[in-house]
């Protein structure tokens, strides 16, 4: 019995020792060298925290880029399906028309057949070229190789339905490499030539960021304010408002 009581007392005594708070170090105490060393450790710790935060922000930015790319790819696939459905309906309608009035049907010339085949081949080549450039970013993570791929696509198909997206992709890739002059040119192309594109607001935000990074705060403010005005309640406007608030802080 006494042994049990002794063991219990030792257990509670050990628990109290573990639960006791560690003594707080007096940062003001010690010699000057000690205080300086402690301050250096604090500064280094804060710098490391800021670096970690920047890495997380860079990772988030890349994830956003990837998600936007996936959305574009899905939209492209839907467009292709819809286009194919329309083609099937047209083919069915033409067959029905020819079956109803075979004598009145206009004979198809070899030149017309060749023109149709060339147009179809060009469309397929255009789509494959754009999809290949996008896949270099999303699937293969070959960002340096994607830059010339998008440039080649834009040069060959400047008026493509994918031209606005291709210019935005090119600008984003160049922006990530801090090649701001060329990135600005790509984003400007979206803003000026493709005013109806859903990438125009995002391109204006990127132009504002480039202006900030190159020391043109007045230009950055103008870009951000334009986004807030033209694309209110959009994701681009929210980013622009955050950038404006950060500039004023």
């Amino acid at each position: 019995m006494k042994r049990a009581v002794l063991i219990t007392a030792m257990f509670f005594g050990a628990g109290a020792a573990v639960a006791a708070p560690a003594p707080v170090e007096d940062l003001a105490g010690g010699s000057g060298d000690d205080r300086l060393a402690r301050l250096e450790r604090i500064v280094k710790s804060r710098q490391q925290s800021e670096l970690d935060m920047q890495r997380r922000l860079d990772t988030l930015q890349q994830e956003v880029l990837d998600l936007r790319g996936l959305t574009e790819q899905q939209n492209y696939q839907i467009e292709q399906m819809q286009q194919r459905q329309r083609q099937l309906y047209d083919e069915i309608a033409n067959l029905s028309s020819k079956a109803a009035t075979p004598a009145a049907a206009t004979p198809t010339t070899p030149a017309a057949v060749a023109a149709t085949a060339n147009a179809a081949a060009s469309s397929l080549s255009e789509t494959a070229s754009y999809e290949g450039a996008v896949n270099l970013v999303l699937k293969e993570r070959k960002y340096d190789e994607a830059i010339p791929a998008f440039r080649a696509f834009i040069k060959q198909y400047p008026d493509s339905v994918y031209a606005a997206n291709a210019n935005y992709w090119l600008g984003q890739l160049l922006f990530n490499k801090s090649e701001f002059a060329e990135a600005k040119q790509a984003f400007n192309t979206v803003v000026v030539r493709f005013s109806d594109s859903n990438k125009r607001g995002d391109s204006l935000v990127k132009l504002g960021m480039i202006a900030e990074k190159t020391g043109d705060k007045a230009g950055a403010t103008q870009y951000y304010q334009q986004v807030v005005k033209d694309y209110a309640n959009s994701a681009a406007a929210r980013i622009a408002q955050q950038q404006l608030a950060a500039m004023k802080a």
Side-chain angles (χ1 to χ4, degrees):
M1 183 63 178
K2 290 182 179 179
R3 183 180 180 185
V5 172
L6 180 59
I7 292 173
T8 302
M10 291 174 64
F11 174 81
F12 281 110
V18 172
V24 178
E25 183 181 0
D26 183 6
L27 293 178
S31 65
D33 290 340
D34 291 339
R35 290 196 297 273
L36 180 60
R38 285 194 291 270
L39 286 173
E40 287 177 350
R41 287 196 296 270
I42 292 172
V43 170
K44 288 181 180 179
S45 177
R46 289 181 178 176
Q47 289 176 341
Q48 185 61 45
S49 298
E50 291 175 358
L51 287 173
D52 293 340
M53 179 63 71
Q54 186 60 50
R55 291 193 190 99
R56 287 194 291 270
L57 288 173
D58 291 342
T59 301
L60 288 172
Q61 184 182 21
Q62 188 58 53
E63 288 176 355
V64 170
L65 176 63
D66 292 346
L67 288 173
R68 285 178 177 171
L70 289 173
T71 301
E72 289 177 5
Q73 198 169 32
Q74 290 172 351
N75 290 338
Y76 150 72
Q77 291 172 348
I78 291 171
E79 288 174 3
Q80 289 296 106
M81 292 173 62
Q82 291 174 340
Q83 183 178 357
R84 182 54 184 159
Q85 286 179 341
R86 287 193 294 269
Q87 289 174 347
L88 289 173
Y89 292 148
D90 291 341
E91 290 173 4
I92 292 171
N94 289 335
L95 288 173
S96 300
S97 177
K98 289 179 181 179
T101 56
T106 302
T108 303
T109 64
V113 172
T116 302
N118 289 337
S122 177
S123 177
L124 288 173
S125 176
E126 175 184 332
T127 301
S129 179
Y130 175 75
E131 187 175 10
V134 171
N135 286 339
L136 285 172
V137 177
L138 298 181
K139 292 183 178 180
E140 302 179 40
R141 309 282 182 174
K142 296 179 179 178
Y143 306 122
D144 289 340
E145 293 182 22
I147 291 175
F150 279 115
R151 281 177 172 156
F153 175 85
I154 292 166
K155 182 178 180 180
Q156 188 170 1
Y157 306 103
D159 299 317
S160 167
V161 294
Y162 307 116
N165 284 358
N167 276 281
Y168 181 82
W169 273 109
L170 177 60
Q172 182 64 57
L173 290 165
L174 292 168
F175 179 87
N176 289 345
K177 294 185 68 177
S178 298
E179 297 180 10
F180 298 132
E182 294 182 73
K184 181 178 180 179
Q185 184 178 355
F187 291 129
N188 262 325
T189 300
V190 180
V191 172
V192 175
R193 289 195 57 211
F194 305 100
S195 58
D196 295 332
S197 171
N198 60 358
K199 293 298 182 186
R200 188 172 184 270
D202 293 328
S203 295
L204 285 168
V205 170
K206 290 298 182 182
L207 287 172
M209 291 181 175
I210 291 172
E212 266 195 89
K213 289 181 178 294
T214 54
D216 183 9
K217 291 189 176 181
T221 300
Q222 186 176 354
Y223 282 123
Y224 294 144
Q225 289 176 343
Q226 184 178 353
V227 176
V228 173
K229 177 183 176 182
D230 295 346
Y231 301 95
N233 300 321
S234 67
R238 288 193 292 272
I239 294 173
Q241 288 171 336
Q242 292 172 0
Q243 294 297 120
L244 286 169
M247 289 174 63
K248 293 177 182 178

